[in-house]
Amino acid sequence: MRGRLRVYLGAAPGVGKTFAMLAEGRRARERGRDVVVGFVETHGRPRTAALLEGMEIVPRKTIVHRGAAFTELDVAAVIARRPKAALIDELAHTNVPGSERVKRWQDIDEILDAGINVVTTVNIQHLESVNDVVQEITGVPQRETVPDEVVRRADQIELVDMSPEALRRRMVHGNVYAPEKVSAALSNYFRVGNLTALRELALLWVTGKVDDQLDRYRAEHGITTTWETRERVVVALTGGPEGDTLVRRASRIAARTKGADLLAVHVTSSDGLVASDPASLARQRALVESLGGSYHQVVGDDIPRALLDFARGVNATQLVLGASRRGRFAQILSRGVGLETTALSGSIDVHLVTHEEVKRGRRRPERARAALTRKRRVAGWIVAVAGLPALTAALWPFRDVISLPSEILLFLCLVVVVALIGGMLPAIATAVGGSLLLNWFFTRPTGRLTIADPDNLLALIVFVLVAVAVSTIVDVAARRTRQAARAGADAEVLSTLAGHVLRGEAALPSLLARLRETFGLDSVTLLERVGEPTPDDKSEPGAWRIVAASGSAPCTAPAAADTDVVISDELVLAARGRLLDAGDRRVLEAFAAEAAVALRHERLEEEAERARPLAEADRMRTALLAAVSHDLRTPLSAARASVESLRNREITWTDEDREELLATADESLARLGRLVENLLDMSRLQAGVLGLSLQPIALEEVVPRAIDDLGPLRGRVRSDVSIELPEIVADAALLERVLVNLISNAVRYSPPAHQVLVTGSRQDDMVEIRVVDHGPGIPPEDRERVLLPFQRLGDRDNGTGVGLGLALARGLTEAMGGTLTPEETPGGGLTMIVSMPVHFETSTS
């Protein structure tokens, strides 16, 4: 039997997940259960480490990777020990290369399959579904993620919650990070806003998990009644003009309870032929989504039951319907959707909302006469007018041979033929005319409109009824066929237009251009009102401005159009070329609503684009303040402490101590100088005032100077630059700065046993300088981001500078006309390639 998984979920590091897991393990052990520690990281936290005392710890497995030893969870040892439960920290952890499995959650799956219960921990930022949201909030990407489904499969999930203020107090007291890292952490990842947002994400995710568990429990136990665990308001939409009123009323009802859900549902017929206004539905869907709700569409021929099935399926507590639009006589025949739904609703509260469309009746999108074409109706009348006398003349010589029932059947065949060609009205006229001709010419006494035999009277009456029934059925079938063809054509147009947008073309121009081509129009124009609406501004070009247009001679005002669609008080879609019939207009209205959505999206993107520089500047200011508050303060504090110690006359320093203090001060001031230079150079780059002195220089002169500038680190660098390389065009001082930054960064991340290699080679008109290291490298998706200012790929090391080195190197290289490109080192690591143009001597005559 598979083991049970229990997950402690937290919003951020330090909330106490590992502490809670270990505390639960100790309690279980005190109750006599066999519990072992498979893998736990204390991160140097004394209270967490104290909980490990007395616990049985399964020895870890040691793996050597690139000359360094790492420890990982020993899955085989845990399975061989076969405890009742194992405590395993950090569910999203990525194992060291060379392990049997890539991720720790896969190790845990193996242990669960062996029948061992597992208790583990994970933070909300490591869940795959919210990874991008967390990066947007905190600015820090999380490369270690776990699929949501892995956590959702857990038998028990416990949220370890802590307020942002309490977590920050824990950090100040040194209970989370080392004291030297607290200041930077509090001003970056652990800001109150970040922690509040992460806490809300964790609460919402757990809420969704609880909802899933509740739905599963209700389904397993066959519970169909509503459990009012949360307010869910469902509003039923028909596509009618009252929909906006219903949506807003339902939104107000949902807003009375914090955390209530708003859902809109539209029920369509299974044959797809019941008329609804797609433009109104599109507008109402956009309105629902703008109010924070969700839109759904279900299929059902019994609308009340379909609505209630949906409402019970989502565990809704309230249902909002519009009062009936049918007339009084129609309500006598049937009590309608509202009353029927109320009668069947059970525990769901039903709100019947009045509106301006009450008792106005349903609006038909197409008139009944449009069931058949005009040509077919005319043909039907011609066949009726010509066929009746022709059939009468043909039967007259045989009136004594053929019986009346046979004559009636022949006339009925003519009625069917007329119905098939021309529809109901010509067929009914043929039936009435045929009955009169049968009565006059073939029913005794002939020559008079009287009938002596009652059987003949019955036969004529049945003839008329059958003829009317057949003509009605033919007419309905023709209407349905025409509606189906129309619906198919509309669907094809909608699909074509939607696909045109989804293929990546500009949304608004694409919609208008394809709309014009589809309906053969001269022009399609989206107009926006300039000022306040006035009664006669539809004919005033000055009151409107053209937002987008397709075709020649766009309309400058709605009155200039052959067909105009009012999207809102400010927007109108104007079409010129021909008048559109009702069916075409419905499609036009649907895409007018889509055009409005496309316009809104374009403007939001423009606003986001305008706000991006401001956000970037704000991010730069924030990062700069963090750098000044920590990265600049740290070397300044070290230098100041060394100088004050030397000036203290109460202490007698040995020569060795004095040299060490002077070296510390010198190193700290040098580091401070480099940071200030980087910040100033980055400011000059962004302001565009960096001075350049481009001239021919030899690479074998610049590289050694850059290596010498590294000081004690120069011994970890090996140069392999040929003196035969051509001269390049660059600023010698700036290129040296670029190489110092790149080489020092490579040395910092390279293993001690590996040297950083600097090489040079010519590629066409460029010389490539390669700085090669064998460190951990950078994932391909992060290589571009690491070249941006203030990027350190994580918040773990706050003593390595402000993250300007690579960004400054790239900026200086591009300012000199070169490029800086990162690529993977064969065998592992990172290679930074500086490409500079070759100097070509110009000859003079």
Side-chain angles (χ1 to χ4, degrees):
M1 185 176 66
R2 182 177 168 87
R4 295 175 60 83
L5 177 63
R6 180 173 182 177
V7 177
Y8 283 92
L9 176 69
V15 296
K17 304 178 303 299
T18 305
F19 188 91
M21 180 183 69
L22 290 173
E24 175 62 26
R26 293 187 71 89
R27 286 193 295 268
R29 189 177 178 87
E30 291 169 0
R31 292 194 296 266
R33 299 189 66 187
D34 185 12
V35 180
V36 300
V37 175
F39 192 101
V40 167
E41 287 286 359
T42 63
H43 299 289
R45 298 164 190 168
R47 294 185 61 197
T48 304
L51 289 176
L52 282 173
E53 296 179 3
M55 298 285 291
E56 180 183 349
I57 302 176
V58 176
R60 300 182 182 183
K61 177 173 57 176
T62 301
I63 299 176
V64 178
H65 177 62
R66 293 181 181 174
F70 301 89
T71 60
E72 291 289 0
L73 170 67
D74 193 335
V75 177
V78 173
I79 295 176
R81 170 63 177 76
R82 299 205 63 83
K84 183 67 176 176
L87 310 181
I88 303 174
D89 209 4
E90 298 180 356
L91 177 65
H93 170 75
T94 301
N95 294 329
V96 175
S99 302
E100 294 181 20
R101 286 161 289 274
V102 177
K103 306 290 288 188
R104 182 163 294 164
W105 64 263
Q106 296 170 327
D107 293 338
I108 290 176
D109 257 357
E110 192 78 12
I111 295 173
L112 291 171
D113 287 339
I116 301 171
N117 299 332
V118 175
V119 185
T120 187
T121 64
V122 70
N123 279 330
I124 188 66
Q125 67 263 29
H126 294 298
L127 296 182
E128 187 66 49
S129 65
V130 299
N131 184 258
D132 56 338
V133 179
V134 172
Q135 180 174 349
E136 186 72 23
I137 294 170
T138 64
V140 178
Q142 299 292 335
R143 294 194 296 273
E144 291 187 332
T145 60
V146 58
D148 287 44
E149 186 58 30
V150 173
V151 184
R152 289 189 183 278
R153 287 200 305 261
D155 300 280
Q156 185 176 348
I157 298 178
E158 185 168 336
L159 179 66
V160 183
D161 190 28
M162 180 177 289
S163 68
E165 294 77 12
L167 178 55
R168 286 169 62 86
R169 283 196 300 271
R170 288 196 65 200
M171 296 189 66
V172 171
H173 295 155
N175 295 331
V176 179
Y177 287 152
E180 64 271 13
K181 295 185 177 182
V182 170
S183 177
L186 289 175
S187 59
N188 289 283
Y189 191 91
F190 288 86
R191 294 195 298 269
V192 172
N194 289 359
L195 295 177
T196 303
L198 291 173
R199 188 187 189 196
E200 183 174 5
L201 275 178
L203 291 169
L204 290 174
W205 195 92
V206 172
T207 300
K209 168 67 175 176
V210 172
D211 282 344
D212 293 342
Q213 289 177 331
L214 179 60
D215 291 342
R216 186 164 58 248
Y217 177 84
R218 295 175 72 237
E220 290 173 354
H221 291 77
I223 300 172
T224 58
T225 58
T226 300
W227 286 6
E228 298 185 14
T229 54
R230 183 200 294 186
E231 287 289 342
R232 286 185 175 87
V233 181
V234 173
V235 54
L237 301 178
T238 64
E242 76 283 356
D244 293 357
T245 302
L246 299 182
V247 169
R248 292 189 174 92
R249 180 59 183 274
S251 176
R252 291 196 296 272
I253 294 173
R256 294 170 187 167
T257 304
K258 188 172 181 58
D261 294 333
L262 173 64
L263 302 92
V265 60
H266 172 66
V267 180
T268 60
S269 166
S270 59
D271 59 14
L273 298 179
V274 174
S276 61
D277 188 346
S280 295
L281 282 176
R283 286 195 297 269
Q284 290 158 16
R285 176 174 186 166
L287 177 60
V288 169
E289 292 173 349
S290 69
L291 293 173
S294 58
Y295 178 86
H296 307 268
Q297 187 163 319
V298 297
V299 176
D301 293 322
D302 189 338
I303 294 178
R305 294 190 181 277
L307 286 175
L308 291 172
D309 287 344
F310 174 81
R312 293 190 180 106
V314 298
N315 204 24
T317 55
Q318 302 187 63
L319 183 59
V320 178
L321 304 172
S324 177
R325 286 185 282 152
R326 302 180 308 150
R328 190 181 302 276
F329 180 74
Q331 293 184 24
I332 293 174
L333 298 178
S334 172
R335 55 181 179 178
V337 173
L339 295 178
E340 185 72 20
T341 304
T342 304
L344 301 173
S345 62
S347 60
I348 300 177
D349 297 335
V350 178
H351 302 263
L352 285 178
V353 179
T354 58
H355 48 84
E356 295 180 354
E357 302 295 322
V358 171
K359 295 184 180 180
R360 291 188 180 180
R362 293 187 178 273
R363 299 178 182 178
R364 300 290 181 182
E366 298 184 48
R367 289 177 292 178
R369 63 179 177 85
L372 295 174
T373 63
R374 177 183 177 83
K375 184 177 180 180
R376 284 187 60 179
R377 293 196 301 272
V378 171
W381 283 110
I382 293 174
V383 172
V385 171
L388 286 174
L391 181 59
T392 303
L395 292 176
W396 174 253
F398 306 101
R399 62 185 181 279
D400 295 328
V401 179
I402 301 176
S403 64
L404 182 61
S406 298
E407 294 165 343
I408 290 176
L409 287 175
L410 291 173
F411 272 89
L412 183 59
C413 289
L414 177 62
V415 172
V416 172
V417 170
V418 172
L420 290 172
I421 297 173
M424 181 185 294
L425 292 180
I428 292 177
T430 303
V432 174
S435 65
L436 294 176
L437 290 174
L438 284 168
N439 189 359
W440 183 272
F441 289 102
F442 302 104
T443 305
R444 299 180 185 278
T446 58
R448 299 170 57 186
L449 294 177
T450 57
I451 301 174
D453 190 347
D455 291 338
N456 293 341
L457 176 61
L458 179 61
L460 288 174
I461 293 174
V462 171
F463 163 74
V464 173
L465 293 177
V466 170
V468 170
V470 169
S471 61
T472 301
I473 291 172
V474 171
D475 186 79
V476 170
R479 186 183 306 280
R480 287 291 186 177
T481 302
R482 187 174 178 83
Q483 287 178 350
R486 184 74 199 200
D490 289 350
E492 184 177 354
V493 171
L494 296 176
S495 174
T496 302
L497 286 168
H500 196 62
V501 176
L502 293 175
R503 280 192 293 270
E505 304 178 28
L508 194 52
S510 172
L511 278 171
L512 299 185
R514 185 54 64 92
L515 204 57
R516 179 180 61 82
E517 294 170 5
T518 301
F519 294 110
L521 301 171
D522 295 335
S523 68
V524 179
T525 311
L526 185 63
L527 298 171
E528 184 176 36
R529 196 187 302 273
V530 175
E532 294 295 325
T534 58
D536 56 350
D537 65 355
K538 287 202 170 183
S539 58
E540 292 291 334
W544 302 86
R545 74 179 186 88
I546 298 176
V547 177
S550 176
S552 60
C555 300
T556 56
D562 294 314
T563 304
D564 64 282
V565 176
V566 178
I567 303 173
S568 64
D569 293 338
E570 291 79 25
L571 291 175
V572 172
L573 186 70
R576 174 183 286 172
R578 65 182 180 90
L579 286 174
L580 300 179
D581 60 28
D584 291 339
R585 184 180 176 87
R586 291 200 308 126
V587 177
L588 188 69
E589 288 176 348
F591 276 86
E594 292 296 328
V597 173
L599 175 63
R600 183 162 59 249
H601 286 175
E602 284 186 5
R603 290 182 171 173
L604 287 174
E605 289 177 359
E606 292 174 359
E607 291 178 6
E609 193 65 30
R610 288 194 296 269
R612 189 170 289 115
L614 298 176
E616 182 66 20
D618 182 67
R619 190 184 67 82
M620 293 282 288
R621 283 193 296 269
T622 302
L624 181 59
L625 288 173
V628 171
S629 66
H630 181 270
D631 294 277
L632 296 182
R633 185 176 61 190
T634 300
L636 185 62
S637 299
R640 181 178 179 182
S642 299
V643 172
E644 288 179 351
S645 299
L646 289 171
R647 293 184 59 187
N648 191 342
R649 298 181 179 179
E650 299 179 359
I651 303 175
T652 302
W653 301 102
T654 64
D655 292 341
E656 184 179 351
D657 293 336
R658 189 180 301 277
E659 286 297 325
E660 184 177 351
L661 289 172
L662 287 173
T664 300
D666 181 63
E667 182 182 351
S668 299
L669 291 174
R671 179 183 170 192
L672 182 63
R674 288 195 299 270
L675 289 173
V676 171
E677 286 179 2
N678 283 346
L679 288 170
L680 291 176
D681 284 344
M682 182 56 68
S683 299
R684 294 190 189 102
L685 272 174
Q686 292 186 331
V689 295
L690 183 69
L692 292 174
S693 177
L694 299 179
Q695 56 188 355
I697 61 173
L699 198 59
E700 66 269 16
E701 297 176 2
V702 179
V703 173
R705 290 203 302 268
I707 295 175
D708 287 339
D709 286 346
L710 297 176
L713 298 177
R714 69 172 69 94
R716 297 187 56 192
V717 183
R718 180 167 62 91
S719 174
D720 187 14
V721 177
S722 173
I723 61 174
E724 297 179 358
L725 287 174
E727 291 184 331
I728 61 175
V729 179
D731 185 306
L734 294 184
L735 181 59
E736 185 178 333
R737 291 283 306 283
V738 169
L739 294 177
V740 168
N741 278 330
L742 295 179
I743 296 172
S744 61
N745 188 75
V747 170
R748 181 182 303 121
Y749 291 103
S750 270
H754 291 79
Q755 282 188 318
V756 172
L757 177 63
V758 182
T759 66
S761 61
R762 179 170 181 171
Q763 299 290 335
D764 297 328
D765 294 339
M766 306 291 287
V767 170
E768 291 185 350
I769 310 165
R770 293 175 174 262
V771 180
V772 183
D773 70 57
H774 294 278
I778 300 175
E781 64 271 14
D782 290 330
R783 288 176 188 165
E784 183 63 25
R785 189 177 61 80
V786 79
L787 295 175
L788 300 177
F790 305 106
Q791 297 294 326
R792 288 192 297 239
L793 285 186
D795 194 39
R796 298 178 179 179
D797 182 6
N798 296 299
T800 58
V802 296
L804 275 178
L806 294 181
L808 182 60
R810 183 188 205 180
L812 294 177
T813 302
E814 293 177 350
M816 293 185 290
T819 60
L820 177 61
T821 308
E823 70 175 28
E824 185 178 1
T825 301
L830 182 69
T831 297
M832 302 299 292
I833 305 173
V834 179
S835 299
M836 298 301 300
V838 172
H839 170 64
F840 294 98
E841 296 183 1
T842 57
S843 61
T844 58
S845 58

